[in-house]
Amino acid sequence: MYDIIIIGSGIVGSLVAYDLSRYRLKVAVLEKDNDVANGTTMANSAIVHAGYDPEDGTMKALLNVRGARMYPQLCRDLNCIIKNTGAFIAAVGEEEEQVLDVLAARAEKRGIACELLDGDTARGLEQNLSDNVTKVLSIPETCIIYPWEVAYAAMETAIRNGVELFLNTEVTGIDKVPEGYLVKSGTQAYEARMVINAAGTGTAAIDHMVSDRVDFEPRPRRGEYFVIDADIDYVSRVIFPVPTAKGKGVLAVPTVHGNTLLGPTSEPIEDADKKETSFAGLESVRQQLQKTMKNPPLRNVIRSFAGIRASGTSADFLIEELPDAPAFVHAACIDSPGLASAPAIAAYIRDTFVGKYMPLEETPDAVMTRPAPVVMKNLTPAERDAMIRRQPLYARIICRCEQISEQEIIDCIHGPCGARSIKAVKKRVRPGMGRCQGGFCEPRVAAILARELHIPLTEVLLDSRNSRILEKENR
Amino acid sequence: MMKHYDAVIIGGGSAGLAAAVTLKQNGLENIIVLEKDGEAGGILQQCIHNGFGLQTFNEQLSGPAYAERFIRQAEELNVPVLCNTMVTHMHADRTIEYVNPEEGYQTVTADVIVLAVGCYERSRGAVEIPGDRPAGVYTAGQAQRYLNIDGYMVGRKVFILGSGDIGLIMARRMTLEGAKVYGVAELMPYSNGLPRNIKQCLEDFDIPLYLSHTVTHIYGRDRLEGIDVSAVDENLKPIPGSEVHYDVDTLLLSIGLIPENHLADEAGIRMNPRTRGPVVDENYMTSVPGIFACGNGLHVHDLVDFVTLESSRAAEGALRWLKKPQNDSADILLQAGEGVSYIVPGHVHADMAQPCELFFRVTAQFDTAEVLLKKDGEVIRRTVRRKLMPSVMERLKLNPADLPADGSSLTVEVRERNTK
Ligand SMILES: Cc1cc2nc3c(=O)[nH]c(=O)nc-3n(C[C@H](O)[C@H](O)[C@H](O)COP(=O)(O)OP(=O)(O)OC[C@H]3O[C@@H](n4cnc5c(N)ncnc54)[C@H](O)[C@@H]3O)c2cc1C
Ligand SMILES: Cc1cc2nc3c(=O)[nH]c(=O)nc-3n(C[C@H](O)[C@H](O)[C@H](O)COP(=O)(O)OP(=O)(O)OC[C@H]3O[C@@H](n4cnc5c(N)ncnc54)[C@H](O)[C@@H]3O)c2cc1C
């Protein structure tokens, strides 16, 4: 019997687990995928929005502002990368300039620093800003993170504090039982007093397993992007167009590792699992980008990808207990700014719902910080030397683009929520994220995974459960 | 104390080994080859097919056998080859940082550095194919490594995008291992592979080559399930409605090779945007004095014999430079004119004492071509060649007498001969 079952290990589920792991509670996380943070948290713009954008009086406004303020400390505690790049919202023409005034007023009211700049001043700071841009609202507080790093770092820490994570565990049914809920996954069943449904695009389907009064419908929206080579310095802060009724528009976003993201589109799709890119979508990124940016570095694209927003018929986040299912809480319609809000969503769920049903008693041995993993690239020569003397495999470079050693890969496989696939390794230590995109190191990473997990090479997965990379041994 | 070498050769593939051997044979004693893999030989080690060394040894050797000859030669000459050793940084003052399990992080200096770092394959990101991102999409070199080094097949029902040589060789190799190769799609109206590979790897196995075609969609959530292949128009844009679907579990990409240019970039070496390798002079010296480049790390070669040849020339160039580091004579630019995509070297000095062989590639197919060497717009040499194609590297001899005394530039141009 668990006190709490969390469904989903995206940024929301992971941070809820992390937050609850400081209390005397028995918590389990059920995740259908074979790795944490493989859903929307894996494919987004990675921006910690400062919180000027959501309309007054919404949950989005409340939680975004709070969440953004929690991130710097959270990232310090978890040893995660966060960069305070700032952002520009770029207006073209008078009508858009008026929107900037509205946003500026909103920002000031919420205590978010901002400044209006004329086009030329802005171009002096961001040389690839389009010549058509007439005015810019500068938001110095905006940060960028490495979203799935925050999620797995939080989950790792939660696991160290006793939270149980069940991967490859898709929730397929839920029974109401006297003491709470029986959450089923195939032939397995897990009982808990309370359930927190943080299943991203899967939230509605799970709600329907316990409730007849689900008051929203999912309307997933796809967003497609290009990733630009880290050698190209295109922007040094996030550049937004002025938001319109159609959405936030196409941005240029620096990433914490020096790449640039161009995107996303926003297009309704039927199937929230379809993370494919499309010819039309990528073309639309190219077109829309021209509104605010010039010299798009499209010759230096190293890949493209798509992410699916868990949008729904509610424009605002829905974080509530279901009316006909006590102690069953969902975090639904967590589209943008879900990432920025996630730490505050976790705190809100704790204070509003968990506290209502169970005592929040801190355990003295909970450790809420995460030791920094060894990243050889960031060490001084003397420090590297010392590491290599302890473990020579820190000197065997597997990924030449990102200069990642064999031991760093081994470390991430054996961590508390260790990597089980080539992509999971890539998420944690980044071999294959550089300019050769894994052409050179992928076979080597596969061999290390096979050896460390004691599985044959033919069982090594690229990503999902059925994504074997090799067909058979050729003997 | 920082170690100092007469020469450090970065990369122990065919280029690095040939350069090292030549340096040593000419009396440079204190040299070392740094190789990041567990053994020397480079890409040759995974090319177990025959077809290496026709020019150098007059024999058809396999890749590893060709490599073995140079590895042995280096051994006999006592050239130390440090394996499992990755050069992580190279600076313009000719300091090099490397790392290996025995010595940890080391910084050394050298009078001469030879960059012989090979190339890497363009991957899916570079061609932006819409669709899913399942397992089952590999670069041809990856599939080659899985098969020839690790002993695993990547799949059974195969399509190949791009007609580069590695893809062609893998078409044959996988067919022989029992896979079905449905075809090769090439974006351009001509093949990017050597004619002999088209014949021996595709035609002899009845594998169709679709010129002016490309893959326009990838299907499959977990493992590849299928692809769409479309014809393209003159602007290389897919023609709507021309899609043909193939149910395949494997897509190999053979869409080009790019010199490994990390280290050169870091040292601030001037690069040629066409080759994507360094710009060199007749001594194969880059824009940073004392740093030389050769092999696939300079420009991508189709035949190893030319890599060997070029690399020992680079070594000779380094020896010449060591004797006379200062050269104030005029710099003559060698420009790729119409019909030529690039020329290596990119410039020569006016006082060049001996003939220099230029390597170049053409931009399109030519049936009967005139190759023109021009000075000030005036043709100073004209040769006629049959059947030029972008996949085959061409050579042209440049004599000291060809050089303009005033330091202006020379242009190489290729055009179809007028049939009047
Ligand atoms: C294109 C795009 C750009 C964005 N940009 C930003 C941005 O810059 N800033 C920002 O703040 N927000 C941004 N967002 C929003 C943000 O990414 C999301 O709000 C956030 O990642 C949602 O996290 P989550 O944990 O709710 O969902 P997810 O990360 O999707 O996690 C849900 C998890 O639940 C699991 N699951 C689903 N069904 C089941 C089941 N039946 N059983 C078990 N497990 C299940 C899934 O496998 C998944 O791991 C963007 C979103 C998109 C799509
Ligand atoms: C798959 C393939 C098939 C081919 N088939 C044929 C054929 O049939 N016939 C033919 O004649 N030619 C063929 N060629 C062409 C020819 O064999 C190659 O061009 C030639 O071997 C390249 O030699 P290289 O030394 O320049 O590069 P490589 O062989 O790639 O050597 C470069 C070496 O440098 C090392 N290195 C790189 N960076 C670093 C660093 N930072 N620190 C330390 N070491 C480093 C690498 O590990 C590698 O060993 C083929 C080429 C390829 C790629």
Side-chain angles (χ1 to χ4, degrees), chain A residues 48-93:
Chain A
V48 178
H49 301 284
Y52 55 84
D53 188 48
E55 308 260 349
D56 279 337
T58 60
M59 286 296 275
K60 283 187 176 177
L62 178 77
L63 297 174
N64 184 354
V65 174
R66 274 193 203 163
R69 298 204 168 128
M70 292 167 79
Y71 261 105
Q73 183 61 43
L74 180 68
C75 289
R76 264 195 299 279
D77 287 347
L78 294 177
N79 256 303
C80 290
I81 314 172
I82 181 164
K83 283 195 180 156
N84 178 213
T85 57
F88 277 178
I89 308 152
V92 178

Side-chain angles (χ1 to χ4, degrees), chain A residues 129-141:
Chain A
L129 210 56
S130 160
D131 297 334
N132 299 331
V133 171
T134 49
K135 205 170 189 182
V136 155
L137 180 64
S138 167
I139 309 280
E141 281 172 32

Side-chain angles (χ1 to χ4, degrees), chain B residues 11 13-15 35-36 42-43 49 51-52 87 117 144 166 296 302 304:
Chain B
S14 44
E35 167 56 51
K36 72 174 163 44
I43 196 72
H49 57 279
F52 296 84
V87 173
V117 287
Q144 188 179 47
I166 319 176
N296 283 352
D302 32 75
V304 69

Side-chain angles (χ1 to χ4, degrees), chain A residues 417-430:
Chain A
C417 77
R420 290 291 172 274
S421 67
I422 290 176
K423 176 157 161 218
V425 170
K426 210 166 160 175
K427 273 160 80 172
R428 288 164 178 77
V429 287
R430 294 179 48 80

Side-chain angles (χ1 to χ4, degrees), chain A residues 7-14 30-33 35-49 64 169-172 198-203 206 209 221-225 251 264-265 305-310 317 331 334-341:
Chain A
I7 305 172
S9 67
I11 189 82
V12 174
S14 299
L30 309 184
E31 168 56 57
K32 72 171 178 183
D33 223 321
D35 194 15
V36 296
N38 234 12
T40 306
T41 301
M42 186 64 209
N44 53 63
S45 307
I47 304 164
V48 178
H49 301 284
N64 184 354
T169 304
E170 175 167 6
V171 173
T172 48
T201 53
T203 304
I206 292 171
M209 295 174 190
R221 298 184 79 82
R222 171 166 67 179
E224 300 184 42
Y225 295 85
L251 334 173
T265 52
F305 70 89
I308 312 294
R309 300 172 184 82
F317 295 156
I334 309 294
D335 53 8
S336 192
L339 202 59
S341 312

